[in-house]
Each structure stands twice: as C-alpha cells, then as structure tokens.
Amino acid sequence: MTDQAVDAGGVRLSGHSVAEGRFLGRTRELKELRADIARTGLDTLAGRKAPRARVLLVAGRPGSGRTALAEELVRQVAERYPDGVLRARLSEPDGTPVPVERTARELLTALAAPAPAGAAEDELTEALREALAGRRSLLLLDDAASADQVDALLPDAPDCLVVAVSGGPLTGISDVRPCTLGGLDTKSAVALLTRYTGSVRITVDPRAAETLAEACQGQPAALTLAGGWLASRPQAAVSDLAKRLHKDAEDGADAAPLARVFRLVHDQLPGQTARILRLLSQAPAGLIDPHTASALAGCSVNAARGTLDELVSLGLLRAVESPLPEYDVPGCLHPLLRALAESQERPGELQLARARLLERDVRLLQSCRAITETDSPQAREKLQSLPPALRFPTPRAAAEWLNVRRPALLAAVRLAVADGELDTLARRLMSQLVRALVAHVGTQAAAPDLYGVHSLVLDVAERRGLPRERAAALLNLGDLDAQTGRTRDALVRYRAALDAGREAGDPYATGRAMESVGGAYQELDDYDRAADWFGRALADRLARDDRAQAARLYGRIGTAHTYAGRYGEALRNWRAAVAGYRKEGDVAAHARALSELARVQEYAGRPAESLATCREAIEWARRAEDTRLQAALSLRLADTLDRLGDPVAARLHRVAAERMLDEEAPEDEVCGSEAEDACEIRRTSDED
C-alpha cells in the first residue's frame, strides 16, 4: 500500500510484496503506465527497431506510494513476461546509491548466470545484457538514485520491460515519460484509513476521516501511520487525530505530513519501545530480525520479538516474506528515524549498539559454522558454551539462517569497515563470515561474496598497518583472480603478498606467495620463471625442514620443466618427489608422483623405463585404493604396450581399466585419449 509495504530490499525472482486485490486508487496512473508499454517509441517512429528495453518511470517523494504503484503494475502485466520478474533496490536505506557492480552481480545470480568473482562493472553489466538477450523479462528497479544506475542495467532486449522508481526524472534515458505521483484521492485515502480503524469510526464521522486524509495530504505512508496509531487506541476519535495534526502544522511543526505523523506516533510510544525503534536505524541494510533488535537494544530476544511485532502493527516496520522472522525499516521512514536517533541518543550509545550487533553476528556465525563440525570435540564444546538462543538445532537450520541473513551480514561488514572505529570487531566478523560461507556454501559458490570480504580485509589491514593480514588478504584475492582467469591480476596480488609476508616475518605467507607466483607464471606459459619461483619456494621449505611440502614442490618444478621440454630436469625433480613422498609414507601421493615420472620417461623416449615405472605406480595406487588412478595408469600402460608391439597385453590392461571404472562409478565417462588422460594427471599433480 505504501513505500514501506513494498520495499524490495534486494533482488529476487517473481517475488510479491503487495497482496493481490489490496491496492487502492491510482487508476489513472495505472492506465497511463499500461498504455505507455505499448506506446510507439521514437526509434520505431524513425523506422528503426528499438535497440533496448522500454523504460517506465514512477516518480514521487518517499512515502507517496511510488513503489506500491510500481509493484501493482508489475503484478498486472507480469504474465506478459514469461521469463520472470527481477527486482533490485538501487539505494541503501540511508540513500547511498548501491554500486552498479553489486546490483548486476545479484541480478546475474537471480538468473543463475555466471558472475565471476572480482569482475569489473563493465564485465558484469555486459554479462547481464547477454543473459537477458532473447528473453521476455521484467525488471523492477526501485529507489534509483540516478539515470546512470538505470542505464547501466538496461537490457539490449526490446521484449524486456524496465519499471524504474525514483524521486524525480531520470534525465539521460531517452524516450521515458515519468508518471509523477501526488497524494491519493479522498475516497482511496479514507479507504486506507478504514483498513486500520474499521468502518464504525469512519462511518460515525466521515468528515473527520476526510479532514485527516487532507492533513496527511493523501500521502499513503502518512495515512498508514495515522491508521496504525488509531488502531492501537480504540477509544480515540478520528477527529482528535485530525485536529492534533492541524494544530502541529499551525504551530510550525515539521512541514511534511509524514514527518508530523511519525513524530506523533514516536512520541507516544512507551520509552523502551521508542528507544528500540530509534536504534533500529543502525540495522545494516535496514534488515532486522529479533537478534538484531536484541543486540542493538541490549535486551532479550523474546522482548525484542514482541517489540518488533508491536512496531509492525503501528506501520513503523514491515514484516518481510522470509522463512525466518525478518522485518525492514520503511525506506521513507529511515531518514526520520536516523535523525531522531542522532538527536536523542548519545554518540557513544549508538557506537555501543553497533558494537553489540557486530559481537552478536560474530557469535551467531561461530555457531553457524560449528554446527557443521559435529565430529570435532572442540566444535561441540564451543557450541555448548553458547547461550541456547545462539545455537542452531541442525546444520540445515544454520544454512537457512545464513542464506536469509547474507545481505544483512555483508552490509554489516561494509558498514563496520567504513566506520573505522570498530576495526577489531570488523576483522572478527569478516573472519567468521568467510568460514561460515565456506562451510555451508563452498569456496567456489561463495567466491563473489568472498572476494568482496577479502577486499574489505585488505582495506582494514592497509589502514591499520597489519602486514600479516594484508598478505593473507592478497593471497586470497590472488587465488580468486586466478580461478576466474585473471592470471596477470593474480600475479600482481601474489607479488604484493610476498612483500607483505616478508615485512610481517611470516614464513607461511612468504612461501605460499613464492609458490603462487610460480603457479601464475606457469599459467602464463613462462616455464623458466615458474621453475625459478617454485625453486625459491622449495628452498624455503627445505630450510624449515618441511619435507612433505618440499616433495610437492619438487613435483611442481618437474611439471614446469616437462612443459618446457626439459625432460632431464623434469625426471630429476620427479624422482626427488617420489623419494620425498616415500619417506613421508604418503602412499597416494607416492603413486601419483610415480605416474608422472612414468609419463615424463615416455616423453623422453624411454618406453621400457616408463613401462616399469607405470607398473610400480599401479601397485602403489592399489595400496592407496585410488581406483581412478589405477584405471588411468592401466590405460597409459596399454598405450605404451601397443607402441612396444604387445597388443594382447595392451588389450588386457584396457579391459581391466574399464572394469575398474565401471565398478567405481558406472555413470562416469572414461577419458580414453592421451590428451584427456594428460589433463587428468596434470590436474591431479597440481592439486598435490
């Protein structure tokens, strides 16, 4: 019905914020907007095909019902767009524009389209246009702060429709006529009040209801608050409230009707309820659950839940469609709420409330991650030490909580880092959020979120002069860059991480960075530099007597030499890797190293040696119970026997390989070619 009733609060497919049949008034505006969909555009008039989606603009002040009108329009025409409805909010509750990169990423996620971690804005918007090409989709872009935000997200698809909501015209987007909203007509305004007060009080004094609607200037948000105030006071007459608002206006109170009604409602709340309401202005992204309210106010979760329900009944909060109890602060009320908090709460108390919230999020994330580690005595002990209100009954419940609260948690991290005064808590929060995402979502699926968090970790580390944390953040960002094909960017990150690791005196970060630099050069086909950097990392591991890692690095050096065609050097290093794994008693790694040694021997023109090494590798793979490696080695052995002129033995090994693969996973496909086999062995050795 009002802005606060339909605030999208993120991106989702085919969601509904307004109940069908509950919309009031705006008949003329809806008719104009629907007619605008079919209106002939300037391109068509000029004989050209429309290059982009049609844009409809709903403009109006916050609280005018602009979002409600846009949602109702979307509901009425959604069936014309079989590829679904996408929603995005382009401004934060405090009015800060949401970066286009973030919005594009979330829209791509909603479309189940790739959104590489760390991708730039241009790359993501281009990917979004490609994902929407050929579709008939409808985009609702709420709270647009500028034309540039909307323009960057417009699909190059004439069959799509974009409905944008803003405070005024979006100059710069061609062929858009704004539908500008004023107040509701008197009949609709009175009907809106009736929903809260019931028909009796309106029927008894219809003139008072019209006067109240006039005092609210027909503004849906103001009418909603007035209706909620009357509903909570069954004995109050409608005329009493109307007179009170008129008197406030005459006394020079806030000129805007929404501000006057809001101040009246706030001032007549019980003291603790009013305080909790004010502190809710500190909720990240305007998203609130009972834990958020409890932490901000320093009260129990049950008390916070009761207060939230009371505020919903007054129209001061909105219950969000969610598997968990969740609410949001109406966008039109957020600036009023923040102003009240800053004027009536001491700065130290607001800071303390934010600190309590961050600490609560840290503990909830610890619990969220610990529930996945049921086989760990330490994790079980950690869970038992938490209050019952902070525990999750099952891993599934924890995963659902993390999924629902993800936008608020990410917003909390961004705000904490921007604040600059709570860096210690911000660092703890980021650490726990990364661990929880990895535990429940997985590194690959959570990569975009992880990239953002690691970037914020880097910001804090640089601001506070923390080289160890800077090195860790750079390594993590470099890994994500490398995974998405930005190898040169990754190389820059790894070199910076090496400098930070040396500055911190952190041997792990230093060794890891040197190896990662080598890996980046290998991806860039610069095998000489790759071998050199792997050698530096190896020297570091040997100096620290880390024999297991040294064996692995011998293998990486051997791989680099193999790619460069230096088979003698490759053989020497792979033999060192084999010896190292044998001394460490790592049977599986020993088998894989032998398989690579056999491959290089064959490349070097030593088929007999390769045959003997391959048979030895099969035996070690059997001890390690690595069926896939046994099968791959048997296929390679068969190829070698064919080249040596023994087709009968080769056929026996191929049959054995097929049988092993069939027994392990009948649905898997066996890579029979030498190239595919090489890819598999290379991948395996790199992982080691």
Side-chain angles (χ1 to χ4, degrees):
M1 293 175 292
T2 62
D3 282 80
Q4 65 264 35
V6 293
D7 192 358
V11 182
R12 57 187 186 278
L13 279 170
S14 302
H16 297 278
S17 297
V18 180
E20 186 173 353
R22 298 278 294 171
F23 189 78
L24 287 170
R26 307 296 192 194
T27 305
R28 176 182 58 81
E29 291 89 343
L30 279 168
K31 184 178 179 181
E32 289 177 358
L33 286 165
R34 294 190 63 151
D36 228 13
I37 297 174
R39 176 175 58 84
T40 302
L42 298 177
D43 286 290
T44 304
L45 288 173
R48 300 186 298 270
K49 184 178 180 182
R52 309 182 84 180
R54 166 60 56 85
V55 180
L56 303 182
L57 174 60
V58 180
R61 292 180 300 173
S64 63
R66 58 190 188 179
T67 304
L69 176 59
E71 287 277 8
E72 177 63 13
L73 174 67
V74 167
R75 186 191 66 77
Q76 290 185 12
V77 303
E79 63 183 14
R80 303 185 195 176
Y81 300 91
D83 292 314
V85 177
L86 294 164
R87 290 172 169 82
R89 183 173 177 175
L90 304 188
S91 294
E92 301 284 6
D94 63 0
T96 304
V98 174
V100 171
E101 172 267 326
R102 192 193 310 165
T103 304
R105 184 179 298 284
E106 293 192 358
L107 287 168
L108 285 167
T109 300
L111 288 165
E121 177 186 312
D122 290 347
E123 183 180 347
L124 291 169
T125 52
E126 180 60 30
L128 178 61
R129 284 190 284 273
E130 289 177 3
L132 290 170
R135 291 177 181 251
R136 288 185 62 86
S137 296
L138 198 162
L139 277 71
L140 173 56
L141 303 178
D142 195 9
D143 258 350
S146 68
D148 290 340
Q149 278 184 305
V150 176
D151 187 66
L153 300 168
L154 287 184
D156 292 333
D159 291 332
C160 289
L161 175 68
V162 175
V163 178
V165 177
S166 79
L170 296 177
T171 306
I173 299 179
S174 62
D175 205 18
V176 178
R177 294 186 301 190
C179 175
T180 306
L181 300 187
L184 288 172
D185 62 88
T186 302
K187 180 181 177 181
S188 299
V190 171
L192 179 51
L193 286 171
T194 304
R195 289 183 175 172
Y196 289 90
T197 64
S199 60
V200 174
R201 278 193 279 182
I202 301 300
T203 305
V204 166
D205 194 352
R207 179 57 188 159
E210 293 176 2
T211 302
L212 179 56
E214 180 186 343
C216 293
Q217 296 181 8
Q219 196 173 29
L223 289 163
T224 297
L225 291 182
W229 187 88
L230 288 167
S232 67
R233 292 166 175 78
Q235 305 305 317
V238 177
S239 59
D240 293 338
L241 180 56
K243 290 175 184 176
R244 176 73 177 270
L245 292 177
H246 271 297
K247 184 178 183 302
D248 288 345
E250 292 170 357
D251 291 344
D254 296 304
L258 177 58
R260 290 200 303 272
V261 180
F262 172 73
R263 190 59 183 254
L264 171 67
V265 172
H266 168 270
D267 289 350
Q268 296 195 14
L269 288 173
Q272 179 64 4
T273 303
R275 176 176 173 272
I276 291 177
L277 175 63
R278 292 192 298 271
L279 292 175
L280 294 182
S281 65
Q282 307 300 305
L287 294 171
I288 300 146
D289 68 348
H291 276 289
T292 301
S294 165
L296 287 171
C299 65
S300 71
V301 175
N302 287 335
R305 186 178 291 112
T307 301
L308 294 176
D309 289 338
E310 180 183 352
L311 294 174
V312 168
S313 69
L314 291 168
L316 292 163
L317 284 186
R318 167 185 173 265
V320 178
E321 272 188 44
S322 170
L324 305 174
E326 195 171 28
Y327 312 81
D328 65 8
V329 175
C332 59
L333 297 185
H334 196 277
L336 301 173
L337 204 57
R338 182 171 285 273
L340 264 182
E342 291 173 353
S343 65
Q344 297 196 19
E345 302 291 335
R346 295 190 302 274
E349 176 56 31
L350 294 177
Q351 181 95 320
L352 181 59
R354 290 193 292 270
R356 285 195 300 262
L357 178 58
L358 293 179
E359 182 63 39
R360 177 69 60 90
D361 285 342
V362 167
R363 300 181 75 189
L364 283 166
L365 286 166
Q366 287 175 333
S367 176
C368 180
R369 178 177 60 89
I371 193 68
T372 67
E373 303 172 348
T374 53
D375 57 340
S376 166
Q378 293 84 0
R380 288 197 299 271
E381 183 179 343
K382 182 69 175 177
L383 275 175
Q384 291 303 314
S385 68
L386 293 171
L390 299 182
R391 298 180 204 162
F392 295 96
T394 63
R396 182 175 180 178
E400 184 175 51
W401 173 84
L402 181 62
N403 182 55
V404 170
R405 294 296 295 167
R406 182 188 68 87
L409 291 166
L410 292 170
V413 168
R414 290 192 294 268
L415 289 172
V417 172
D419 180 278
E421 298 297 326
L422 299 170
D423 280 348
T424 299
L425 274 171
R427 289 157 58 199
R428 291 177 58 208
L429 177 60
M430 290 187 284
S431 173
Q432 293 302 324
L433 180 56
V434 166
R435 295 179 182 184
L437 286 169
V438 170
H440 287 281
V441 182
T443 303
Q444 200 67 30
D449 288 342
L450 295 176
Y451 199 95
V453 175
H454 291 315
S455 297
L456 292 170
V457 172
L458 181 60
D459 290 344
V460 174
E462 290 178 341
R463 182 166 68 208
R464 293 290 179 177
L466 304 170
R468 186 186 299 272
E469 291 191 14
R470 187 166 77 250
L474 287 164
L475 286 169
N476 288 324
L477 289 168
D479 290 345
L480 292 168
D481 282 330
Q483 290 168 16
T484 50
R486 297 190 302 275
T487 308
R488 294 194 181 278
D489 292 339
L491 183 57
V492 172
R493 301 273 198 192
Y494 291 142
R495 283 186 171 276
L498 178 58
D499 292 339
R502 286 170 172 165
E503 181 184 348
D506 185 340
Y508 170 79
T510 302
R512 166 95 150 70
M514 286 190 289
E515 183 176 352
S516 297
V517 169
Y521 277 124
Q522 184 168 297
E523 284 298 314
L524 294 171
D525 298 335
D526 190 340
Y527 303 122
D528 290 338
R529 287 184 178 177
D532 175 56
W533 280 98
F534 288 145
R536 298 186 197 192
L538 173 62
D540 176 75
R541 297 292 184 178
L542 290 174
R544 290 188 279 123
D545 200 31
D546 189 346
R547 299 294 171 178
Q549 294 301 317
R552 185 177 57 77
L553 283 163
Y554 276 122
R556 298 207 73 174
I557 297 171
T559 299
H561 285 307
T562 302
Y563 291 157
R566 293 189 291 269
Y567 300 127
E569 287 294 315
L571 288 171
R572 184 173 65 81
N573 280 281
W574 275 114
R575 288 191 181 102
V578 169
Y581 286 130
R582 184 171 58 247
K583 288 179 181 178
E584 291 296 314
D586 190 335
V587 177
H590 186 192
R592 287 192 289 272
L594 282 168
S595 75
E596 283 300 312
L597 177 60
R599 179 187 299 283
V600 178
Q601 287 170 332
E602 186 167 349
Y603 290 164
R606 303 178 182 181
E609 290 182 24
S610 175
L611 190 65
T613 304
C614 202
R615 283 173 173 154
E616 185 182 358
I618 290 174
E619 176 57 33
W620 282 98
R622 186 178 296 114
R623 296 183 194 179
E625 299 181 352
D626 190 335
T627 305
R628 290 195 64 83
L629 181 58
Q630 287 183 67
L633 288 166
S634 294
L635 289 172
R636 187 188 303 161
L637 194 59
D639 292 340
T640 303
L641 288 167
D642 271 334
R643 284 190 286 275
L644 291 175
D646 192 347
V648 175
R651 182 175 177 278
L652 289 174
H653 282 289
R654 286 196 178 92
V655 170
E658 291 170 4
R659 185 177 65 251
M660 282 187 282
L661 290 173
D662 287 342
E663 289 175 355
E664 185 195 36
E667 71 276 8
D668 286 347
E669 294 181 1
V670 180
C671 294
S673 72
E674 181 66 16
E676 290 171 325
D677 186 23
C679 288
E680 174 64 17
I681 298 299
R682 174 182 173 182
R683 182 190 65 78
T684 304
S685 65
D686 285 350
E687 286 178 354
D688 288 341

